[in-house]
Amino acid sequence: MRATKWLAMAWRDLARTSSVDADAGDEMRFHVDMEMEKHLRAGIAPDEARRLALLSFGGVVRHTEAMRDDRVGHGVGRLAHDARFALRQLRKTPGFTIAAVVTLAIGIGGNATVFSVVNGVLLRPLPYPDADRLVTIAHTTKGGNLPPRIPGSSATHVVYADARRSFAAIALYETIKVNLEGDVPERAKAVLATSSLFNVLRVSPALGRFFTNAEDQPGAPPVAMISHGLWTRRFGGDRSVIGKVLAVDGVAHLIVGVMPASFAFPDDKVQLWLPMQVDVHDLGGFHTPSIGRLIPGVTPLDAQRELLALLPRVSAVVDFLTPAMLDGAGIRPEVHPFADDVIGGVRPILWMMWAMVGLVLLIACVNVASLLVVRAEARHGEMMLRRALGAERRHLLAQSLTESTVLIVLGTALGVGLAHIALSMLRRLASDVLPRVGDVRADTTVFVLTAAVAGAAAMLFSLIPMARGRRSGSSLVLAGGQRSATSDRGARRLRHVLVVSQVAMATVLLVASGLMVRSVQKLSQVDIGFIPDGVLTFRVALPSAEYPTAERVARFHGALLARIRALPDVRAVGATTDLPLTGANAYADPLRADRAAPSAKTIPRLAEMRVATPGYFEAMGIPLRRGRALRETDTDQRSGAVVVSDAVVRTIVTEGDPIGARVAHGLAGVRGERPWSDVVGVVGDVRVSLEEPPMGAVYYAMANRPGVEMDWLARSMVYAVRVRATPAALVPAIGALLHDLDPRIPLAEVRTLRSIVDAASATKYFVMVGLVVAAMAGLFLGAIGLYGVLSLITAQRTREIGVRIALGATPGALRFGILRHGIALCGLGLGIGLFAAAALGALIRPLLFQVSATDPLTLAIVSVVLLAVGTMATWIPASRAAHLDPVRALRAE
């Protein structure tokens, strides 16, 4: 109802303005007639008397406009009149209006969508006070035996705590998964952290307090801080929750605080924070992230220099990590903004996608500009005639600006609606790809930018029709007629530039999307080392309080595996520490082989440390290369048997037959050297990441020989069940089996192995889909622009074409001429676009996988597609022109 009333009021205002215009016109005619009567009484001929009367008033149109200004004012009345005139003109050409509005909506909507993501993920500050001072403390290496970048450790945390000139506070934290007991047990994400974490972040709890320095010491009573979501979900928002007990992994934790609803560290999936009880007697392993807050005025480079001076002290804390090893591995501290870790690798992705969508918006603007140029040419005579009759240039410009503004307002309104729909879909579909996706929304910043872009486009569009008027005088129109002034060399050049620029920008978009399609194709061809189809996976984690020994852990997993193996349709079942392609390589330690002499100056090459049960390799489809797999007797007898992957044989166990070789994880320490394990089999490599070569893994039995205790890894195991039927159909039966064995343990992380593989390439697919959509939009808009310009140019040449047909031109010759003209424009735009794509290759190169930024196949396919689309866009107006009736064409004007 409100919308109806508003439209009715707007219509009455326009009608009132029309009445004023009519009154002004009547009054003007009265004054002209009076002046003409005076000239007639003086004996002047009627035609000359009327001409002199019009000249004395300086033009009917100008005086009518001046009288309207006097009556209505220069504000709402003029605007309403121009709006009414613009709407009337746009209604006369519905095809042009719809094409322009839809084109602008695609460009503005896409730009608003991607900028909303860029603003929410990259530009909006992290939700902490002075978030720009938060930094991550990591380490770089020379590579070789170590990854190029490694996190911190307990040892470095103890040493770096003396960096008081640079840091206000430093904290150590680690993300883990825990079991929460209750009526419905659940698996929850938690953070182990030193008490200094909250000093670093400078946040305050919503209820209670943080844990103290004394509570993150070994042997301290267990306490916990819970998230606002967990507080409302499990405790109903009860404010007396402080002091209550929460069972975490079978251990009663005292709840000491509740965090605010806005707090999410390191992400919004964390449910509780527990004290990290650092053991000064176990300070090895570069596995734990560190975060610090810089003192005002200190730069990351300053802090990095101070940490570098402290680094040699690490060897005094960890006696088996010698200064020579630190220097030989090239380990150096690296301090960088914490926001880089939160954002991860999506920064270049989002900037590139915004650039590509910006190209779509440019194509849309150029498309509309091209149509407006041709439209301005068609109305050129009308404008010049109005100027000859006395219309002022500023009024014509105002009318042009109003018409462009109407187009922009309609296109922006539709574009913003499309952006809202796209953002709602994006938040659902990209939650596992984009960090901080909860912060993505179309806020004031997005609307201001959209309005600015729309306003700039409106100004550009409004100037196009007037640009021609400044170069042509009214005498040309009055002397030669409209057609003689409608198409000069400058106008043709402008149309050609606009068409070529559209094709060039569409080429860049197509090349970028084609390269990503090729990358995803290459990614899908990577040998992942296992067969993912028909496999159900889930995690079972045993609390250490209830399962304190390796024997009890092995007994539980063995019982559950036997029961699952007995289910119908189960072909094979096994369990391991972490599945491939999940990025879980936290348990990678230096691996030594007995056949290689140890070096006091070199850290051995890293290899993953995993636990596996009998049946695991069969369930995953991992091939057995040599020897045998692990057996039940290896656990029962603590045989010390291990199975290694191909990469371990290539890089570590390099001499002789790998079967019978001995390996040991870790470095020699004050507690003595870890006992050797015996290699009994070699299996194929599996990948932690699709884009990185396999590191190599050693698979241990759940219970191993003394000194090689694996219960700390075996407590949390991921099961793989290969089935003959649909994997999801087994979930209820497996859940019942687990409940029968221990009702306090949740069935967690239930998913298929195929979904894990798909998730591993989700980021590449996300970029590919985004670029393909942008490229298709750009190609569509470019084709529409080319078709529209050539169609309107052909329509303006109707009389010329009719004359040529009458003089004997054949349809084939006419069609070929127009086709040659359109394809030449496409070819020029294609060449410029290919050159620009090659120049911008550095922008997309980091996102590619085994594909060059100048991949010949991609460039060839893009060229063929663009020329084909350009030919089709040109063929229709060419065919229409070739089949014109010459008699009707000569009568067209």
Side-chain angles (χ1 to χ4, degrees):
M1 291 300 294
R2 289 184 178 180
T4 304
K5 290 182 178 179
W6 184 87
L7 290 173
M9 292 172 62
W11 184 259
R12 285 198 298 270
D13 290 341
L14 291 176
R16 193 177 301 115
T17 305
S18 177
S19 175
V20 171
D21 291 344
D23 292 343
D26 292 340
E27 184 172 346
M28 186 63 217
R29 282 190 291 273
F30 172 76
H31 288 291
V32 170
D33 290 343
M34 294 294 294
E35 186 68 18
M36 180 179 174
E37 187 68 27
K38 183 175 70 172
H39 289 305
L40 288 174
R41 286 197 301 270
I44 299 176
D47 291 343
E48 182 66 14
R50 181 168 183 79
R51 189 182 70 82
L52 292 174
L54 291 173
L55 288 176
S56 65
F57 281 93
V60 176
V61 175
R62 178 168 59 83
H63 277 275
T64 301
E65 291 172 343
M67 293 172 64
R68 184 188 304 114
D69 290 344
D70 291 338
R71 292 193 180 207
V72 181
H74 292 277
V76 178
R78 163 61 64 179
L79 182 61
H81 171 267
D82 290 343
R84 181 177 60 85
F85 181 78
L87 288 171
R88 188 170 68 242
Q89 290 296 111
L90 293 176
R91 280 200 304 268
K92 289 180 180 178
T93 54
F96 162 80
T97 303
I98 294 173
V101 169
V102 172
T103 297
L104 290 171
I106 293 174
I108 291 174
N111 192 71
T113 300
V114 177
F115 179 69
S116 297
V117 177
V118 170
N119 184 51
V121 176
L122 301 183
L123 303 182
R124 186 174 289 119
L126 298 178
Y128 311 108
D130 300 319
D132 57 320
R133 296 185 198 163
L134 295 178
V135 293
T136 294
I137 303 171
H139 298 83
T140 58
T141 73
K142 289 181 179 178
N145 288 351
L146 296 177
R149 181 172 283 103
I150 56 178
S153 69
S154 301
T156 58
H157 175 69
V158 170
V159 171
Y160 293 162
D162 291 333
R164 304 184 187 279
R165 295 197 309 271
S166 300
F167 292 93
I170 296 177
L172 204 64
Y173 71 95
E174 180 182 3
T175 303
I176 61 172
K177 293 288 187 69
V178 296
N179 289 347
L180 299 182
E181 296 182 8
D183 295 336
V184 180
E186 62 178 296
R187 189 80 170 155
K189 192 173 184 179
V191 167
L192 291 175
T194 57
S195 59
S196 54
L197 175 66
F198 305 102
N199 291 330
V200 171
L201 299 179
R202 290 190 178 174
V203 294
S204 300
L207 291 175
R209 62 171 177 85
F210 300 126
F211 40 80
T212 63
N213 292 337
E215 289 168 337
D216 64 7
Q217 301 301 315
V223 297
M225 301 188 64
I226 63 175
S227 69
H228 191 276
L230 185 63
W231 174 51
T232 55
R233 181 165 49 84
R234 287 185 70 109
F235 298 95
D238 183 4
R239 299 185 66 85
S240 63
V241 69
I242 306 300
K244 291 187 176 181
V245 171
L246 178 65
V248 180
D249 280 340
V251 177
H253 284 63
L254 189 70
I255 298 175
V256 297
V258 177
M259 297 305 295
S262 59
F263 182 75
F265 179 86
D267 58 57
D268 57 2
K269 295 181 176 62
V270 175
Q271 299 294 304
L272 66 162
W273 294 263
L274 309 171
M276 176 182 285
Q277 298 179 342
V278 178
D279 185 355
V280 295
H281 300 295
D282 186 13
L283 295 174
F286 286 80
H287 301 308
T288 315
S290 293
I291 184 174
R293 176 175 288 273
L294 296 178
I295 293 173
V298 176
T299 66
L301 186 59
D302 295 333
Q304 196 165 291
R305 292 193 188 101
E306 185 176 9
L307 297 183
L308 182 60
L310 295 172
L311 182 64
R313 299 186 190 177
V314 173
S315 60
V317 176
V318 184
D319 63 339
F320 54 84
L321 192 62
T322 65
M325 286 182 176
L326 288 173
D327 187 63
I331 297 176
R332 296 292 183 271
E334 179 195 55
V335 178
H336 60 265
F338 175 66
D340 292 349
D341 288 351
V342 175
I343 294 168
V346 303
R347 186 188 299 274
I349 292 173
L350 293 182
W351 284 126
M352 187 198 65
M353 291 189 68
W354 194 22
M356 296 298 104
V357 174
L359 278 182
V360 174
L361 179 60
L362 281 177
I363 293 174
C365 291
V366 171
N367 196 328
V368 176
S370 301
L371 297 177
L372 284 173
V373 165
V374 179
R375 179 180 170 86
E377 290 298 314
R379 297 179 60 191
H380 181 66
E382 171 199 338
M383 292 296 181
M384 292 301 97
L385 185 59
R386 293 176 65 188
R387 286 284 293 129
L389 293 176
E392 294 187 11
R393 189 182 300 276
R394 64 186 178 90
H395 287 155
L396 294 179
L397 181 60
Q399 287 181 352
S400 177
L401 177 61
T402 303
E403 184 173 330
S404 299
T405 301
V406 170
L407 285 176
I408 289 293
V409 168
L410 294 175
T412 302
L414 182 57
V416 169
L418 293 176
H420 274 289
I421 296 173
L423 284 175
S424 63
M425 295 175 59
L426 191 68
R427 280 190 288 267
R428 291 195 304 268
L429 300 178
S431 59
D432 294 331
V433 176
L434 289 178
R436 307 184 67 190
V437 71
D439 293 334
V440 174
R441 56 184 179 276
D443 57 8
T444 305
T445 305
V446 175
F447 287 122
V448 168
L449 179 69
T450 303
V453 171
M459 290 296 296
L460 172 66
F461 295 161
S462 65
L463 293 176
I464 290 174
M466 298 304 298
R468 292 279 296 118
R470 287 186 177 274
R471 297 193 299 270
S472 300
S474 59
S475 59
L476 180 62
V477 177
L478 296 176
Q482 181 174 330
R483 289 181 184 84
S484 63
T486 57
S487 184
D488 62 11
R489 184 177 301 173
R492 289 195 299 272
R493 187 180 298 116
L494 178 59
R495 290 195 297 264
H496 294 168
V497 167
L498 293 174
V499 170
V500 168
S501 63
Q502 286 186 81
V503 176
M505 289 185 285
T507 301
V508 174
L509 285 171
L510 281 174
V511 170
S513 65
L515 291 174
M516 285 307 304
V517 170
R518 291 273 290 149
S519 292
V520 171
Q521 180 188 22
K522 292 282 188 181
L523 209 62
S524 66
Q525 296 171 353
V526 169
D527 181 12
I528 57 179
F530 57 91
I531 303 172
D533 296 315
V535 178
L536 176 70
T537 72
F538 55 89
R539 183 175 289 277
V540 174
L542 308 179
S544 57
E546 306 294 337
Y547 299 86
T549 64
E551 287 78 11
R552 291 199 61 181
V553 170
R555 194 178 306 122
F556 178 92
H557 287 301
L560 182 57
L561 286 168
R563 295 188 182 197
I564 294 175
R565 196 176 293 114
L567 290 175
D569 294 326
V570 172
R571 297 171 56 187
V573 59
T576 188
T577 311
D578 289 295
L579 289 173
L581 300 182
T582 58
N585 63 342
Y587 305 117
D589 273 349
L591 184 68
R592 296 173 292 120
D594 65 338
R595 297 172 184 173
S599 172
K601 296 182 179 180
T602 305
I603 297 177
R605 184 178 293 272
L606 300 184
E608 296 173 34
M609 184 187 302
R610 297 182 181 273
V611 170
T613 69
Y616 169 70
F617 301 117
E618 182 183 359
M620 292 288 293
I622 298 174
L624 179 66
R625 307 290 194 200
R626 304 185 66 176
R628 65 173 177 85
L630 294 173
R631 300 169 179 163
E632 297 287 353
T633 54
D634 291 322
T635 296
D636 298 336
Q637 299 173 6
R638 289 179 168 263
S639 67
V642 296
V643 172
V644 299
S645 70
D646 285 335
V648 171
V649 175
R650 287 194 305 269
T651 60
I652 300 174
V653 186
T654 57
E655 298 180 6
D657 188 350
I659 305 300
R662 296 190 301 166
V663 294
H665 266 104
L667 300 173
V670 294
R671 290 155 297 180
E673 187 172 321
R674 180 176 295 175
W676 296 104
S677 296
D678 303 315
V679 177
V680 298
V682 178
V683 295
D685 286 315
V686 295
R687 291 174 175 257
V688 172
S689 165
L690 284 174
E691 300 180 53
E692 298 176 4
M695 180 185 296
V698 178
Y699 298 90
Y700 292 85
M702 285 187 289
N704 220 290
R705 62 176 45 145
V708 191
E709 303 299 338
M710 290 291 120
D711 55 296
W712 62 281
L713 275 176
R715 282 193 183 89
S716 180
M717 298 281 278
V718 181
Y719 284 58
V721 185
R722 182 168 294 277
V723 300
R724 298 183 181 87
T726 305
L730 276 183
V731 174
I734 293 174
L737 292 178
L738 178 60
H739 185 271
D740 289 342
L741 283 174
D742 193 333
R744 298 165 299 178
I745 298 175
L747 186 69
E749 301 175 24
V750 179
R751 49 187 174 170
T752 63
L753 194 55
R754 169 55 65 184
S755 69
I756 293 174
V757 175
D758 293 341
S761 55
T763 299
K764 282 284 189 289
Y765 272 102
F766 174 74
V767 178
M768 182 195 73
V769 171
L771 289 182
V772 167
V773 170
M776 292 301 100
L779 182 63
F780 171 74
L781 295 179
I784 291 297
L786 179 64
Y787 166 77
V789 169
L790 290 178
S791 294
L792 290 174
I793 292 175
T794 303
Q796 290 180 2
R797 293 176 58 195
T798 299
R799 184 178 179 84
E800 172 200 339
I801 292 172
V803 171
R804 294 179 64 184
I805 293 176
L807 293 177
T810 63
L814 287 172
R815 184 185 298 111
F816 177 75
I818 296 175
L819 274 173
R820 182 178 58 186
H821 179 64
I823 293 174
L825 293 178
C826 283
L828 180 58
L830 175 63
I832 296 173
L834 291 176
F835 179 79
L840 297 174
L843 184 65
I844 193 173
R845 190 174 293 116
L847 306 178
L848 302 180
F849 178 73
Q850 297 182 359
V851 175
S852 167
T854 55
D855 178 52
L857 180 60
T858 301
L859 299 184
I861 293 175
V862 167
S863 301
V864 171
V865 169
L866 266 173
L867 290 176
V869 171
T871 301
M872 287 189 292
T874 310
W875 179 265
I876 298 176
S879 297
R880 187 181 299 128
H883 292 88
L884 278 177
D885 183 352
V887 176
R888 296 180 60 185
L890 292 173
R891 291 177 179 174
E893 301 185 9

